[in-house]
Amino acid sequence: MSRALSYSSGESATPLLGDTIGGNFDATVRAFGDREALVDRAGGSGPARRWTYSELAADVDALALGLLELGIGQGDRVGI
């Protein structure tokens, strides 16, 4: 059984990439894994926490596995 990707677009002169967020992120990690991706200043006090794209991808995967362990599955909605 093949699954269709969720995709919807209106009229625009700018073409869409046609990628999913996850697919685009994976490609970015492959291309720029050692580059800085995210900096958290934690309210401006203390040293900033920094992630490379590879580190961020590892944390994203860990979060996804944690959600699966909690019983969150495909099609469920999670508020952040």
Side-chain angles (χ1 to χ4, degrees), residues 27-52:
T28 301
V29 171
R30 284 191 302 275
F32 306 110
D34 292 333
R35 291 190 189 178
E36 191 169 79
L38 178 65
V39 177
D40 177 16
R41 292 287 302 154
S45 63
R49 182 170 177 202
R50 298 172 181 274
W51 288 263
T52 64

Side-chain angles (χ1 to χ4, degrees), residues 12-80:
S12 174
T14 305
L16 298 177
L17 295 176
D19 297 341
T20 63
I21 293 171
N24 188 278
F25 182 65
D26 289 343
T28 301
V29 171
R30 284 191 302 275
F32 306 110
D34 292 333
R35 291 190 189 178
E36 191 169 79
L38 178 65
V39 177
D40 177 16
R41 292 287 302 154
S45 63
R49 182 170 177 202
R50 298 172 181 274
W51 288 263
T52 64
Y53 279 101
S54 293
E55 292 166 337
L56 181 60
D59 282 354
V60 166
D61 288 343
L63 174 63
L65 288 173
L67 292 173
L68 288 171
E69 288 176 5
L70 290 172
I72 305 297
Q74 181 177 347
D76 291 339
R77 295 177 181 213
V78 177
I80 299 175

